[in-house]
Amino acid sequence: MTDRALNLLLIALAATGGLLACLTYAGCTTYTVVPADREVVPVAPQDPDPQGHRVYVEMQDGATGWFVPDSVMLELLDAD
């Protein structure tokens, strides 16, 4: 193997390692898990309002996510 081919291989391995490190870091951000016995509100997205803000409404059927009230989140953060 020539020096040029070896250099290209090392550069490719370094780039791949850097990419994997970036993907791992981006995928491992912190988040808070809300226990199931806490008060959460099922929500579903609606069409944005005229200013372009996202709008979510409380909905039991067809809910796509959960809203955690501030009081519950503050209680959880104080517990840590």
Side-chain angles (χ1 to χ4, degrees):
M1 190 177 251
T2 65
D3 286 340
R4 181 179 173 142
L6 183 60
N7 286 340
L8 288 175
L9 178 63
L10 291 175
I11 290 171
L13 288 174
T16 302
L19 177 63
L20 289 175
C22 289
L23 290 175
T24 300
Y25 178 76
C28 296
T29 57
T30 60
Y31 57 92
T32 301
V33 176
V34 178
D37 63 343
R38 302 292 178 156
E39 178 185 345
V40 294
V41 180
V43 294
Q46 297 297 308
D47 294 331
D49 66 6
Q51 289 81 25
H53 298 116
R54 294 180 186 155
V55 178
Y56 295 91
V57 294
E58 183 176 346
M59 180 178 295
Q60 291 291 334
D61 296 332
T64 59
W66 299 92
F67 170 74
V68 181
D70 288 341
S71 58
V72 173
M73 191 58 93
L74 290 173
E75 181 183 331
L76 289 171
L77 293 174
D78 285 339
D80 289 341

